[in-house]
Each structure stands twice: as C-alpha cells, then as structure tokens.
Amino acid sequence: MADWFGTSRSNYFRVKDPAQFEEEMATLSGLDVRQTKEGYYALFGDDGYGGWPSASYNEETGDESDFDIVEIVSRHLAEGEVAVFMSAGAEKLRYISGYSEAVDHTGKRVFVSLNDIYEKAEEAFGVRPSSAEY
C-alpha cells in the first residue's frame, strides 16, 4: 500500500484578534502559520504527508485529540473574511486527489473536489467517463 503525499495551503486572511489566533494555532501540531506585514495570515499543512492535520498529540498526557482546522479558523476570521483551504496530492500514480474548501466568519462552508469532474462530464456529454485511477 502506497502513502498519499500532497501539498496543502490556505489563502491569506485577516483575523479578529491576532494574539488569540496565534495562541490557538500554536496548540495545534502539523501547521505552519505565516503572517504578512499587513496582518494577514496563511496556513500550510505540515502533517508529515502534506495534508491538513486533524489531530494533536499531547506528549505530557499521552492524549490525542481530533480537531477541524476549518471550523477553528472560522471562529477567528474577521467579519467579511473568507479562508480557502486547498489540498492536492497523489498516492503514487494510482490516485490523484484534490479539493478546496472555503469558510466565512459565520462558519458557512463550501466544498469542491477534483472528483466533481465526473458528474460535470456526465452532465455535459451524457456519458460518465471512467475514473482516472488505478
């Protein structure tokens, strides 16, 4: 079985309280947080495989806790801001995957996947193409 390796990053977005945002981000493993001079932030997934992290491990207690990075960021977004999370990668040449999810400061989310192309192709051409996978 092959491992999936990818790249994940967000757009740049503003937060309500930079100190509070940075404090919470520091508690989550597998993230690289970058800030611009203008006060915008971007996140980069660094879970060891290039994806978005979804769990943190506490070395002192030995506990692991799951988290949803999109939901967490939405709580910190400044009013009117939208954070976009993109991820793309592959499991060798068997599977290529990619998706993007956007969230606003109210928690509203939208999602699109590379696999959406099959439905769109079927709608446009009247035939469902074979999958581009193993």
Side-chain angles (χ1 to χ4, degrees):
M1 183 173 188
D3 290 329
W4 181 91
F5 291 98
T7 301
S8 299
R9 67 157 294 159
S10 75
N11 64 328
Y12 286 91
F13 52 83
R14 290 180 304 117
V15 296
K16 294 179 278 196
D17 183 333
Q20 190 178 45
F21 177 72
E22 290 177 19
E23 183 180 324
E24 183 160 15
M25 293 300 105
T27 67
L28 306 175
S29 58
L31 279 178
D32 180 13
V33 180
R34 298 185 192 171
Q35 180 185 15
T36 68
K37 292 177 187 173
E38 298 80 25
Y40 284 78
Y41 289 88
L43 303 177
F44 299 82
D46 189 17
D47 71 350
Y49 295 98
W52 291 111
S54 59
S56 281
Y57 180 73
N58 184 322
E59 291 185 21
E60 291 177 13
T61 65
D63 294 332
E64 185 173 88
S65 57
D66 294 332
F67 63 88
D68 177 357
I69 189 62
V70 176
E71 188 272 326
I72 291 171
V73 168
S74 75
R75 294 192 315 247
H76 290 279
L77 288 174
E79 187 172 338
E81 286 294 307
V82 174
V84 176
F85 295 80
M86 290 189 167
S87 187
E91 182 184 316
K92 292 199 174 191
L93 291 178
R94 294 180 188 152
Y95 305 103
I96 298 172
S97 62
Y99 72 91
S100 189
E101 186 168 6
V103 65
D104 71 4
H105 72 281
T106 69
K108 182 178 179 182
R109 297 163 91 150
V110 293
F111 180 89
V112 64
S113 168
L114 283 178
N115 286 331
D116 294 345
I117 193 61
Y118 299 111
E119 184 176 319
K120 290 195 176 292
E122 187 173 16
E123 290 171 5
F125 309 119
V127 74
R128 187 158 185 102
S130 65
S131 297
E133 59 189 41
Y134 185 15

